[in-house]
Amino acid sequence: MLITALTQSIEYLAGRSRLVYALMGLYYKSIIRQEAHLAGISSKDKILCIGGGPCPYTAILLHKLTGAPVTVIDNNRFCVQKSLGLIKRLNLQDEIKVLCSEGENIDCHGFSVIHLAMQISPKEKVLKRLLGDAQ
């Protein structure tokens, strides 16, 4: 729970401060670039990010690096509102959709890439749903 709280605090700051947002980029950009490369993500993919938080930085970078459309879900309405505001400020609302939903309730069919945030909750239920959909 501590990592979730710390991550959300940093993401809240990043959503309000261009400096914190840019600093997050120094940390996240190389990680997300490597993930996209290893997964072979291209503009032809359709990405689902489960657990976007108040600053869906992974979704934003995945889209910017690959050109793929991204749907972000989070089960916290406040986080979703903050994400929507940031996506609008970045003028990415046509490329990145943000929805409020429980991860274990999402129909994953139609998505070619699914990215899970480390701090999603309830992790076991989400994974069980994803594995069930994958069969």
Side-chain angles (χ1 to χ4, degrees):
M1 289 301 239
L2 180 61
I3 189 75
T4 301
L6 180 60
T7 301
Q8 278 191 347
S9 295
I10 293 168
E11 288 182 357
Y12 284 131
L13 289 172
R16 290 188 304 241
S17 166
R18 289 181 187 203
L19 175 62
V20 176
Y21 184 85
L23 290 173
M24 276 182 67
L26 296 175
Y27 172 73
Y28 276 117
K29 200 172 212 170
S30 64
I31 294 169
I32 301 305
R33 181 179 286 121
Q34 186 174 13
E35 287 180 357
H37 174 73
L38 290 172
I41 302 172
S42 75
S43 61
K44 295 178 179 130
D45 284 301
K46 187 174 177 189
I47 303 170
L48 173 63
C49 288
I50 300 176
C55 177
Y57 210 83
T58 298
I60 293 166
L61 285 176
L62 282 173
H63 169 71
K64 286 185 174 185
L65 292 169
T66 67
V70 181
T71 299
V72 179
I73 64 161
D74 199 286
N75 62 0
N76 181 314
R77 289 193 186 285
F78 185 72
C79 288
V80 169
Q81 287 178 322
K82 293 295 180 187
S83 290
L84 286 168
L86 178 60
I87 296 299
K88 187 174 182 177
R89 282 195 309 278
L90 296 173
N91 198 30
L92 293 172
Q93 62 270 26
D94 291 336
E95 294 87 9
I96 301 174
K97 306 295 180 206
V98 182
L99 308 170
C100 188
S101 182
E102 296 290 337
E104 68 266 24
N105 295 333
I106 290 297
D107 180 0
C108 299
H109 294 95
F111 292 99
S112 54
V113 176
I114 300 172
H115 185 280
L116 299 175
M118 285 180 40
Q119 65 272 17
I120 61 168
S121 179
K123 191 174 293 188
E124 295 78 21
K125 287 183 179 180
V126 174
L127 288 173
K128 184 177 179 181
R129 171 63 188 255
L130 291 175
L131 291 172
D133 280 357
Q135 295 178 3

